[in-house]
Amino acid sequence: MSGRGGAAVLGTGAMGSGIAVRLAEAGRAVRTWNRTAGRADVGHPGAEPCETPEKALAGADHVLLVLSDDRALREVVGVVAGAVAEADRPPLVLALGTVASATVRDLATRVPLLDVGMLGNPMHARTGDLRLYVGGDADRVEAARPLLDDLGKDVRHVGPLGAGMDLKLALNLLMGLEMQALAEVAALAGRLGLDRRSVLEIVGGSGFASPVMRFKGTRMAAGRYGDPDFRLALMTKDLGLAAAAADAAGPALPMTGAALRSHEAACADGWGDHDCAAIAAALDGGGPGDH
């Protein structure tokens, strides 16, 4: 690979595709691979789709694992660990999907790893406006900083390995609780005979709302849950990780448990692949086919 340092992006879903395009536009040589055959092409001439992870890794200085859950991360690290170990100059591996910090620490025994908690959506990934919270060895963080600066407007080293995931999990927990609260406000308003759209607009313009509540409130008001920014299934996964972390660490998080049960029920009703704002529709009962 040539350019400003080669990067292999393994996992080309919504976020991974945006990251690959951004790195290519920043002048880096990019190769991509996805576990699902035929999905590695991100539609940019500077990002070369590969049929195997080994081809994507060849000559890469950085390997970005943009994967949705712990199982996927373990699977892909298992595939690439041998190739990384045999490289003349082993690349630095960055885990960017939200997983348990214990998983990251375990996998760091197999590959040189940093964990990067990402805050933002696919458009932020394409424009380099992510917020990136990095856990790991300080020297490795500094080695990765030029690439991270290409991707993020705010890059922070937040602690040892696992700290990036722990912070991202805490932030996603807050978002999940905000979505649950906003959905319940809409549900109560509707059952009291108020106009739900007007109530959501009023909440969005009030001092009670965060920016994400204003943004997601427009989806709830319009009933627009397709083309998700962040799937409800992933929010459910992160609420489950938060609940498990709380069980292990000790604090009781009753709101987390309640939101998790509500999200699990929504996934069971078929809302998992819709935007996480669909928790509002799920509270009305039934699945997408009933709305």
Side-chain angles (χ1 to χ4, degrees):
M1 286 188 174
S2 60
R4 296 183 54 231
V9 179
L10 309 186
T12 51
M15 293 300 292
S17 294
I19 285 170
V21 170
R22 172 61 185 172
L23 292 177
E25 291 182 346
R28 295 183 181 272
V30 179
R31 288 179 179 157
T32 59
W33 174 80
N34 194 279
R35 291 180 301 151
T36 302
R39 292 191 58 185
D41 190 348
V42 299
H44 190 283
E48 176 188 354
C50 298
E51 295 180 358
T52 67
E54 290 81 7
K55 184 175 180 181
L57 287 165
D61 298 307
H62 299 86
V63 179
L64 291 81
L65 306 180
V66 194
L67 302 159
S68 59
D69 56 33
D70 295 61
R71 181 189 59 79
L73 181 62
R74 287 186 181 278
E75 177 184 324
V76 174
V77 168
V79 170
V80 306
V84 169
E86 293 172 4
D88 293 335
R89 186 178 64 184
L92 183 57
V93 181
L94 290 77
L96 291 104
T98 308
V99 300
S101 56
T103 298
V104 170
R105 288 190 289 269
D106 180 41
L107 294 176
T109 63
R110 307 188 65 184
V111 294
L113 191 64
L114 294 174
D115 65 300
V116 184
M118 292 189 294
L119 203 63
N121 59 38
M123 182 55 67
H124 294 138
R126 284 180 176 266
T127 58
D129 289 322
L130 295 169
R131 298 180 187 274
L132 303 173
Y133 306 114
V134 191
D137 176 79
D139 290 340
R140 287 179 175 171
V141 174
E142 286 309 304
R145 188 169 289 275
L147 178 139
L148 293 169
D149 284 341
D150 285 342
L151 294 174
K153 64 180 181 181
D154 181 18
V155 178
R156 302 191 189 196
H157 182 200
V158 296
L161 195 68
M165 291 299 162
D166 283 338
L167 179 56
K168 176 62 188 302
L169 186 60
L171 294 170
N172 274 12
L173 171 60
L174 180 58
M175 180 180 174
L177 294 178
E178 287 182 335
M179 292 303 95
Q180 183 71 33
L182 189 59
E184 293 190 16
V185 167
L188 177 61
R191 289 162 194 169
L192 293 176
L194 298 171
D195 181 76
R196 291 163 59 124
R197 183 185 292 267
S198 294
V199 169
L200 286 166
E201 290 175 353
I202 289 167
V203 171
S206 74
F208 297 114
S210 68
V212 73
M213 290 176 75
R214 294 187 184 98
F215 178 62
K216 294 296 187 183
T218 61
R219 277 188 175 271
M220 292 183 184
R224 182 174 56 83
Y225 305 120
D227 191 20
D229 304 302
F230 186 60
R231 291 188 294 120
L232 192 141
L234 294 179
M235 180 63 77
T236 305
K237 179 262 297 182
D238 289 349
L239 287 170
L241 288 174
D247 287 344
L253 301 181
M255 290 174 65
T256 301
L260 174 59
R261 291 189 293 274
S262 178
H263 279 65
E264 288 174 336
C267 285
D269 285 338
W271 292 103
D273 287 332
H274 292 70
D275 191 84
C276 63
I279 189 64
L283 289 183
D284 290 334
D290 303 314
H291 291 260

